[in-house]
Amino acid sequence: SLDSLEFLDLSFNQLVFIDSIEFKMKSLKTLYLNNNNLSKIRFISNKLETLNLNNNNNLNKIIVNFSILRIL
C-alpha cells in the first residue's frame, strides 16, 4: 500500500507537474524529483524530511507545506 511508503525516487522521469502527493503517501519521508522537467509542484506533507529538486530548470512555482523538512 502507498500509505506505508517512506522513500520514493522519481528522478529522471521527465515529470512536468506534481500535485497532492500527501493524500496517497502519508508516511513519505524522502522524495527525489531531480532531473525531471518540473515546472510546478504542489503538495502537502507532514512527514517529508528530504526533498531533492536538483536539475529541474523549468521549475518556477512551488506550493508546499512542510512541518519537518530538513533537507531541500
Side-chain angles (χ1 to χ4, degrees):
S1 144
L2 293 177
D3 288 340
S4 61
L5 187 68
E6 291 186 8
F7 176 89
L8 180 61
D9 187 346
L10 294 174
S11 303
F12 299 97
N13 279 291
Q14 299 181 4
L15 300 173
V16 176
F17 179 68
I18 302 257
D19 189 16
S20 301
I21 287 177
E22 179 256 348
F23 299 110
K24 295 190 182 348
M25 300 175 194
K26 297 178 192 247
S27 297
L28 191 64
K29 290 183 179 179
T30 301
L31 177 59
Y32 291 166
L33 296 170
N34 52 296
N35 295 290
N36 281 293
N37 293 317
L38 290 169
S39 61
K40 186 176 181 182
I41 298 173
R42 179 176 58 206
F43 61 94
I44 298 169
S45 176
N46 292 327
K47 300 204 177 208
L48 197 67
E49 297 176 3
T50 303
L51 174 62
N52 185 335
L53 296 170
N54 290 333
N55 298 316
N56 282 286
N57 296 333
N58 296 325
L59 190 59
N60 59 26
K61 189 168 188 179
I62 303 175
I63 302 170
V64 293
N65 181 5
F66 302 115
S67 59
I68 60 172
L69 185 67
R70 293 184 186 143
I71 302 169
L72 176 64

Coordinates of all heavy atoms in Angstrom, one line a residue:
S1 N 0.8 -1.2 0.0 CA 0.0 0.0 0.0 C 0.9 1.3 0.0 O 1.9 1.3 0.6 CB -0.9 -0.1 1.2 OG -1.1 1.2 1.8
L2 N 0.4 2.3 -0.6 CA 1.2 3.6 -0.6 C 1.2 4.3 0.7 O 2.0 5.1 1.0 CB 0.6 4.5 -1.7 CG 0.7 4.0 -3.1 CD1 0.0 5.0 -4.1 CD2 2.2 3.9 -3.5
D3 N 0.3 3.9 1.6 CA 0.2 4.6 2.9 C 1.5 4.3 3.7 O 1.9 5.2 4.5 CB -1.0 4.0 3.7 CG -2.3 4.5 3.2 OD1 -2.3 5.6 2.5 OD2 -3.3 3.9 3.5
S4 N 2.2 3.2 3.5 CA 3.4 2.9 4.3 C 4.7 3.3 3.6 O 5.8 3.1 4.1 CB 3.4 1.5 4.7 OG 3.4 0.7 3.5
L5 N 4.6 3.8 2.4 CA 5.8 4.2 1.6 C 6.6 5.3 2.3 O 6.0 6.4 2.5 CB 5.4 4.5 0.2 CG 6.5 4.8 -0.8 CD1 7.3 3.5 -1.1 CD2 6.0 5.4 -2.1
E6 N 7.9 5.1 2.5 CA 8.7 6.2 3.2 C 9.7 6.8 2.2 O 10.1 8.0 2.5 CB 9.4 5.6 4.4 CG 8.5 5.2 5.5 CD 9.2 4.8 6.8 OE1 10.5 5.0 6.8 OE2 8.5 4.4 7.7
F7 N 10.1 6.1 1.2 CA 11.1 6.6 0.2 C 10.6 6.5 -1.2 O 10.1 5.4 -1.5 CB 12.4 5.8 0.4 CG 13.5 6.2 -0.5 CD1 14.4 7.2 -0.2 CD2 13.6 5.6 -1.7 CE1 15.4 7.6 -1.1 CE2 14.6 5.9 -2.6 CZ 15.5 6.9 -2.3
L8 N 10.7 7.5 -2.0 CA 10.3 7.5 -3.4 C 11.3 8.2 -4.2 O 11.6 9.4 -4.0 CB 8.9 8.1 -3.5 CG 8.3 8.1 -4.9 CD1 8.2 6.6 -5.5 CD2 7.0 8.8 -4.9
D9 N 11.8 7.6 -5.2 CA 12.7 8.2 -6.2 C 12.1 8.2 -7.6 O 11.9 7.2 -8.2 CB 14.0 7.4 -6.2 CG 15.1 8.1 -7.1 OD1 14.8 9.0 -7.8 OD2 16.3 7.7 -7.0
L10 N 11.7 9.5 -8.0 CA 11.1 9.7 -9.3 C 12.0 10.5 -10.2 O 11.6 11.1 -11.1 CB 9.7 10.4 -9.1 CG 8.6 9.7 -8.4 CD1 7.4 10.6 -8.2 CD2 8.3 8.4 -9.2
S11 N 13.3 10.4 -9.9 CA 14.3 11.1 -10.7 C 14.3 10.5 -12.2 O 14.0 9.4 -12.4 CB 15.7 10.9 -10.1 OG 15.7 11.3 -8.8
F12 N 14.7 11.4 -13.1 CA 14.9 11.0 -14.5 C 13.7 10.4 -15.1 O 13.7 9.4 -15.8 CB 16.1 10.1 -14.6 CG 17.4 10.6 -14.2 CD1 17.9 10.4 -12.9 CD2 18.2 11.4 -15.0 CE1 19.1 10.9 -12.4 CE2 19.4 12.0 -14.6 CZ 19.8 11.7 -13.3
N13 N 12.5 11.0 -14.9 CA 11.3 10.5 -15.5 C 10.5 11.5 -16.4 O 9.4 11.3 -16.8 CB 10.3 10.1 -14.3 CG 10.7 8.7 -13.8 OD1 10.5 7.8 -14.5 ND2 11.2 8.7 -12.6
Q14 N 11.1 12.7 -16.6 CA 10.5 13.7 -17.5 C 9.2 14.2 -16.9 O 8.3 14.6 -17.7 CB 10.4 13.2 -18.9 CG 11.7 12.8 -19.5 CD 11.6 12.4 -21.0 OE1 10.5 12.4 -21.6 NE2 12.7 12.0 -21.5
L15 N 9.1 14.2 -15.6 CA 7.9 14.7 -15.0 C 7.7 16.2 -15.2 O 8.7 16.9 -15.2 CB 7.9 14.4 -13.5 CG 7.9 12.9 -13.1 CD1 8.1 12.8 -11.6 CD2 6.7 12.2 -13.6
V16 N 6.5 16.7 -15.4 CA 6.3 18.1 -15.6 C 5.6 18.8 -14.4 O 5.8 20.0 -14.1 CB 5.5 18.3 -16.9 CG1 5.2 19.8 -17.1 CG2 6.3 17.8 -18.1
F17 N 4.7 18.0 -13.8 CA 3.9 18.6 -12.7 C 3.6 17.6 -11.6 O 3.4 16.4 -12.0 CB 2.5 19.1 -13.3 CG 1.6 19.7 -12.3 CD1 1.8 20.9 -11.7 CD2 0.4 19.0 -12.0 CE1 1.0 21.4 -10.8 CE2 -0.5 19.5 -11.1 CZ -0.2 20.7 -10.5
I18 N 3.7 17.9 -10.4 CA 3.3 17.1 -9.3 C 2.3 17.7 -8.4 O 2.4 18.9 -8.1 CB 4.6 16.8 -8.4 CG1 5.7 16.2 -9.2 CG2 4.2 16.0 -7.2 CD1 5.9 14.8 -9.0
D19 N 1.2 17.0 -8.1 CA 0.1 17.6 -7.4 C -0.4 16.6 -6.3 O -0.6 15.5 -6.5 CB -1.0 17.9 -8.3 CG -2.1 18.7 -7.7 OD1 -1.9 19.3 -6.6 OD2 -3.2 18.7 -8.3
S20 N -0.4 17.1 -5.0 CA -1.1 16.5 -3.9 C -0.6 15.0 -3.6 O -1.4 14.1 -3.5 CB -2.6 16.5 -4.1 OG -3.1 17.8 -4.2
I21 N 0.7 14.9 -3.5 CA 1.2 13.6 -3.2 C 0.8 13.1 -1.8 O 0.5 11.9 -1.6 CB 2.8 13.6 -3.2 CG1 3.3 13.7 -4.6 CG2 3.4 12.4 -2.5 CD1 4.7 13.8 -4.7
E22 N 0.6 14.0 -0.9 CA 0.3 13.6 0.5 C -0.9 12.8 0.7 O -0.9 11.9 1.6 CB 0.2 14.9 1.3 CG -0.1 14.7 2.8 CD -1.6 15.0 3.1 OE1 -2.3 15.6 2.2 OE2 -2.0 14.7 4.2
F23 N -1.9 12.9 -0.1 CA -3.1 12.2 0.1 C -3.0 10.7 -0.1 O -3.7 9.9 0.4 CB -4.2 12.8 -0.8 CG -4.5 14.2 -0.6 CD1 -4.1 15.2 -1.4 CD2 -5.1 14.6 0.6 CE1 -4.4 16.5 -1.2 CE2 -5.3 15.9 0.9 CZ -5.0 16.9 0.0
K24 N -2.0 10.3 -0.9 CA -1.8 8.9 -1.2 C -0.6 8.3 -0.4 O -0.5 7.1 -0.3 CB -1.6 8.6 -2.7 CG -2.9 8.9 -3.4 CD -2.8 8.5 -4.8 CE -3.9 8.7 -5.7 NZ -5.1 9.1 -5.4
M25 N 0.3 9.1 0.0 CA 1.6 8.7 0.6 C 1.8 9.4 2.0 O 2.6 10.3 2.1 CB 2.7 9.0 -0.3 CG 2.6 8.3 -1.6 SD 3.9 8.8 -2.8 CE 3.3 8.2 -4.3
K26 N 1.0 9.0 2.9 CA 1.0 9.7 4.2 C 2.3 9.5 5.0 O 2.5 10.3 5.9 CB -0.2 9.2 5.0 CG -1.5 9.6 4.3 CD -2.7 9.1 5.0 CE -3.9 9.2 4.2 NZ -4.9 10.0 4.4
S27 N 3.1 8.5 4.7 CA 4.3 8.2 5.5 C 5.6 8.6 4.8 O 6.7 8.4 5.3 CB 4.4 6.7 5.8 OG 3.3 6.3 6.6
L28 N 5.4 9.2 3.6 CA 6.6 9.6 2.8 C 7.6 10.5 3.6 O 7.2 11.6 4.0 CB 6.1 10.3 1.5 CG 7.2 10.5 0.5 CD1 7.7 9.1 -0.1 CD2 6.6 11.3 -0.7
K29 N 8.8 10.1 3.7 CA 9.9 10.9 4.4 C 10.9 11.5 3.4 O 11.5 12.5 3.6 CB 10.6 10.0 5.4 CG 9.7 9.7 6.6 CD 10.5 8.9 7.6 CE 9.6 8.6 8.8 NZ 10.4 7.8 9.8
T30 N 11.2 10.7 2.3 CA 12.2 11.1 1.4 C 11.6 11.1 -0.1 O 11.1 10.1 -0.5 CB 13.4 10.2 1.4 OG1 13.9 10.2 2.8 CG2 14.5 10.6 0.5
L31 N 11.8 12.2 -0.8 CA 11.3 12.3 -2.1 C 12.3 12.9 -3.1 O 12.8 14.0 -2.8 CB 10.0 13.2 -2.2 CG 9.4 13.4 -3.5 CD1 9.0 12.1 -4.2 CD2 8.2 14.4 -3.4
Y32 N 12.7 12.1 -4.1 CA 13.7 12.6 -5.1 C 13.0 12.9 -6.4 O 12.3 12.0 -6.9 CB 14.8 11.5 -5.3 CG 15.7 11.3 -4.2 CD1 16.6 10.2 -4.2 CD2 15.8 12.2 -3.1 CE1 17.5 10.0 -3.1 CE2 16.7 12.0 -2.1 CZ 17.5 10.9 -2.1 OH 18.4 10.7 -1.1
L33 N 13.1 14.1 -6.8 CA 12.4 14.5 -8.0 C 13.4 15.2 -9.0 O 13.1 15.9 -9.9 CB 11.3 15.6 -7.7 CG 10.1 15.1 -6.9 CD1 9.3 16.2 -6.5 CD2 9.4 14.0 -7.7
N34 N 14.7 14.9 -8.7 CA 15.7 15.6 -9.5 C 15.8 15.1 -11.0 O 15.3 14.0 -11.3 CB 17.1 15.4 -8.9 CG 17.4 13.9 -8.6 OD1 16.8 13.3 -7.7 ND2 18.4 13.4 -9.2
N35 N 16.3 15.9 -11.8 CA 16.5 15.6 -13.2 C 15.2 15.3 -14.0 O 15.1 14.3 -14.7 CB 17.5 14.5 -13.4 CG 18.9 15.0 -13.0 OD1 19.5 15.8 -13.6 ND2 19.3 14.5 -11.8
N36 N 14.2 16.1 -13.8 CA 12.9 16.0 -14.5 C 12.7 17.3 -15.3 O 13.6 18.1 -15.4 CB 11.8 15.7 -13.5 CG 11.7 14.3 -13.1 OD1 11.4 13.4 -13.9 ND2 12.0 14.1 -11.8
N37 N 11.5 17.5 -15.7 CA 11.2 18.8 -16.4 C 10.1 19.5 -15.6 O 9.2 20.1 -16.2 CB 10.7 18.5 -17.8 CG 11.8 17.9 -18.7 OD1 12.9 18.4 -18.7 ND2 11.5 16.9 -19.5
L38 N 10.2 19.4 -14.3 CA 9.1 20.0 -13.5 C 9.1 21.5 -13.7 O 10.1 22.2 -13.7 CB 9.4 19.7 -12.0 CG 9.2 18.2 -11.6 CD1 9.8 18.0 -10.2 CD2 7.7 17.9 -11.7
S39 N 7.8 22.0 -13.8 CA 7.6 23.5 -13.8 C 6.8 23.9 -12.6 O 6.8 25.1 -12.3 CB 6.9 23.9 -15.1 OG 5.7 23.2 -15.2
K40 N 6.1 22.9 -12.0 CA 5.2 23.3 -10.9 C 5.1 22.1 -9.9 O 4.9 20.9 -10.4 CB 3.8 23.7 -11.4 CG 2.9 24.2 -10.4 CD 1.6 24.6 -11.0 CE 0.6 25.2 -10.0 NZ -0.7 25.5 -10.7
I41 N 5.1 22.4 -8.7 CA 5.0 21.3 -7.6 C 4.0 21.9 -6.6 O 4.1 23.0 -6.1 CB 6.3 21.0 -6.9 CG1 7.3 20.5 -7.9 CG2 6.1 20.0 -5.8 CD1 8.6 20.3 -7.3
R42 N 3.0 21.0 -6.3 CA 2.0 21.4 -5.2 C 1.7 20.2 -4.4 O 1.1 19.2 -4.9 CB 0.8 22.0 -5.9 CG -0.3 22.4 -4.9 CD -1.5 23.0 -5.5 NE -2.1 22.2 -6.5 CZ -2.8 22.6 -7.5 NH1 -2.9 23.9 -7.7 NH2 -3.3 21.7 -8.4
F43 N 2.1 20.2 -3.2 CA 1.7 19.1 -2.3 C 1.9 19.5 -0.8 O 2.6 20.4 -0.5 CB 2.3 17.8 -2.6 CG 3.8 17.8 -2.5 CD1 4.5 17.4 -1.4 CD2 4.6 18.1 -3.6 CE1 5.8 17.4 -1.3 CE2 6.0 18.1 -3.6 CZ 6.6 17.7 -2.4
I44 N 1.3 18.7 0.1 CA 1.5 18.9 1.5 C 2.0 17.7 2.1 O 1.5 16.6 1.8 CB 0.1 19.3 2.1 CG1 -0.4 20.6 1.5 CG2 0.2 19.4 3.6 CD1 -1.9 20.9 1.9
S45 N 2.9 17.8 3.0 CA 3.5 16.6 3.7 C 3.9 16.9 5.1 O 4.6 17.9 5.3 CB 4.7 16.0 2.9 OG 5.2 15.0 3.7
N46 N 3.4 16.2 6.0 CA 3.7 16.4 7.4 C 4.9 15.6 7.8 O 5.5 15.9 8.9 CB 2.5 16.0 8.3 CG 1.4 17.0 8.2 OD1 1.6 18.2 7.9 ND2 0.2 16.4 8.3
K47 N 5.4 14.6 7.0 CA 6.5 13.8 7.4 C 7.7 13.9 6.5 O 8.7 13.4 6.9 CB 6.0 12.3 7.4 CG 4.9 12.1 8.4 CD 4.8 10.7 8.8 CE 3.7 10.6 9.8 NZ 3.9 9.5 10.7
L48 N 7.6 14.6 5.4 CA 8.7 14.7 4.5 C 9.9 15.4 5.2 O 9.8 16.5 5.7 CB 8.3 15.5 3.3 CG 9.2 15.4 2.0 CD1 9.1 13.9 1.5 CD2 8.8 16.3 1.0
E49 N 11.0 14.7 5.1 CA 12.3 15.2 5.7 C 13.3 15.6 4.6 O 14.1 16.5 4.8 CB 12.9 14.2 6.6 CG 12.0 13.8 7.8 CD 12.6 12.7 8.6 OE1 13.7 12.2 8.3 OE2 11.9 12.3 9.6
T50 N 13.2 15.0 3.5 CA 14.2 15.2 2.4 C 13.5 15.4 1.1 O 12.7 14.5 0.7 CB 15.2 14.1 2.3 OG1 15.9 13.9 3.5 CG2 16.3 14.4 1.2
L51 N 13.8 16.5 0.4 CA 13.2 16.7 -1.0 C 14.3 17.2 -1.9 O 15.0 18.2 -1.6 CB 12.1 17.8 -0.9 CG 11.6 18.3 -2.2 CD1 10.8 17.2 -2.9 CD2 10.6 19.5 -1.9
N52 N 14.6 16.4 -3.0 CA 15.6 16.8 -3.9 C 14.9 17.2 -5.2 O 14.2 16.5 -5.9 CB 16.5 15.5 -4.2 CG 17.7 15.8 -5.1 OD1 17.6 16.8 -5.9 ND2 18.7 15.0 -5.0
L53 N 15.2 18.5 -5.6 CA 14.7 19.1 -6.8 C 15.7 19.5 -7.7 O 15.5 20.3 -8.7 CB 13.8 20.3 -6.4 CG 12.6 20.1 -5.6 CD1 12.0 21.4 -5.1 CD2 11.6 19.3 -6.4
N54 N 16.9 19.1 -7.6 CA 18.1 19.5 -8.4 C 17.8 19.2 -9.9 O 17.1 18.2 -10.3 CB 19.3 18.7 -8.0 CG 19.9 19.1 -6.7 OD1 19.7 20.2 -6.3 ND2 20.5 18.2 -6.1
N55 N 18.3 20.1 -10.7 CA 18.2 20.0 -12.2 C 16.8 19.9 -12.7 O 16.5 19.1 -13.6 CB 19.0 18.8 -12.7 CG 20.5 18.9 -12.3 OD1 21.1 20.0 -12.5 ND2 21.1 17.9 -11.8
N56 N 16.0 20.8 -12.2 CA 14.6 21.0 -12.8 C 14.6 22.4 -13.3 O 14.1 23.3 -12.6 CB 13.5 20.7 -11.8 CG 13.3 19.3 -11.6 OD1 12.7 18.6 -12.4 ND2 13.7 18.7 -10.5
N57 N 15.2 22.7 -14.4 CA 15.5 24.1 -14.9 C 14.2 24.9 -15.2 O 14.2 26.1 -15.2 CB 16.4 24.0 -16.1 CG 17.7 23.5 -15.8 OD1 18.2 23.6 -14.6 ND2 18.4 22.9 -16.7
N58 N 13.1 24.2 -15.4 CA 11.8 24.9 -15.7 C 11.0 25.2 -14.4 O 9.9 25.8 -14.5 CB 11.0 24.1 -16.7 CG 11.7 24.0 -18.0 OD1 12.3 24.9 -18.4 ND2 11.5 22.8 -18.6
L59 N 11.5 24.8 -13.3 CA 10.7 24.9 -12.1 C 10.5 26.4 -11.7 O 11.5 27.1 -11.4 CB 11.4 24.2 -10.9 CG 10.6 24.0 -9.6 CD1 9.3 23.3 -9.9 CD2 11.5 23.3 -8.6
N60 N 9.3 26.9 -11.7 CA 9.0 28.3 -11.4 C 8.0 28.5 -10.3 O 7.7 29.6 -9.9 CB 8.6 29.0 -12.6 CG 7.4 28.5 -13.3 OD1 6.6 27.9 -12.7 ND2 7.3 28.7 -14.6
K61 N 7.3 27.4 -9.9 CA 6.3 27.5 -8.8 C 6.3 26.3 -7.9 O 6.2 25.2 -8.4 CB 4.9 27.7 -9.5 CG 3.9 28.1 -8.5 CD 2.6 28.5 -9.2 CE 1.6 29.1 -8.2 NZ 0.4 29.5 -8.8
I62 N 6.5 26.6 -6.6 CA 6.5 25.5 -5.6 C 5.5 25.9 -4.6 O 5.6 27.0 -3.9 CB 7.8 25.3 -5.0 CG1 8.9 24.9 -6.0 CG2 7.7 24.2 -3.9 CD1 10.3 24.8 -5.4
I63 N 4.4 25.1 -4.4 CA 3.5 25.4 -3.4 C 3.5 24.2 -2.4 O 3.1 23.1 -2.8 CB 2.0 25.5 -3.9 CG1 2.0 26.6 -5.0 CG2 1.0 25.7 -2.8 CD1 0.7 26.7 -5.8
V64 N 4.1 24.4 -1.3 CA 4.3 23.3 -0.3 C 4.0 23.7 1.1 O 4.0 24.9 1.4 CB 5.7 22.7 -0.4 CG1 6.0 22.1 -1.7 CG2 6.7 23.8 -0.1
N65 N 3.7 22.7 1.9 CA 3.5 22.9 3.3 C 4.2 21.8 4.0 O 3.8 20.6 4.0 CB 2.0 22.9 3.7 CG 1.8 23.2 5.2 OD1 2.8 23.4 5.9 ND2 0.6 23.1 5.6
F66 N 5.4 22.0 4.6 CA 6.2 21.0 5.3 C 6.3 21.4 6.8 O 6.6 22.5 7.1 CB 7.6 21.0 4.8 CG 7.7 20.7 3.3 CD1 8.2 21.6 2.5 CD2 7.3 19.5 2.8 CE1 8.3 21.4 1.1 CE2 7.4 19.2 1.5 CZ 7.9 20.2 0.6
S67 N 6.1 20.4 7.6 CA 6.3 20.8 9.1 C 7.7 20.4 9.6 O 8.2 21.0 10.5 CB 5.2 20.1 9.9 OG 5.2 18.7 9.7
I68 N 8.3 19.4 8.9 CA 9.6 18.9 9.5 C 10.7 18.8 8.4 O 11.6 18.0 8.6 CB 9.5 17.6 10.3 CG1 9.0 16.5 9.4 CG2 8.6 17.8 11.5 CD1 9.0 15.1 10.1
L69 N 10.5 19.4 7.3 CA 11.5 19.3 6.2 C 12.9 19.7 6.7 O 13.1 20.7 7.3 CB 11.1 20.2 5.0 CG 12.0 20.0 3.8 CD1 11.8 18.6 3.1 CD2 11.7 21.1 2.8
R70 N 13.9 18.8 6.5 CA 15.2 19.0 6.9 C 16.2 19.4 5.8 O 17.1 20.1 6.0 CB 15.7 17.8 7.7 CG 15.0 17.6 8.9 CD 15.6 16.4 9.7 NE 14.8 16.1 10.8 CZ 14.5 14.9 11.3 NH1 15.0 13.9 10.7 NH2 13.7 14.8 12.4
I71 N 16.0 18.8 4.6 CA 16.9 19.0 3.5 C 16.1 19.3 2.3 O 15.2 18.6 1.9 CB 17.7 17.7 3.2 CG1 18.5 17.3 4.5 CG2 18.6 17.9 2.0 CD1 19.2 15.9 4.4
L72 N 16.4 20.4 1.6 CA 15.7 20.8 0.4 C 16.8 21.0 -0.6 O 17.8 21.6 -0.4 CB 14.9 22.1 0.6 CG 14.3 22.7 -0.6 CD1 13.2 21.7 -1.1 CD2 13.6 24.0 -0.2

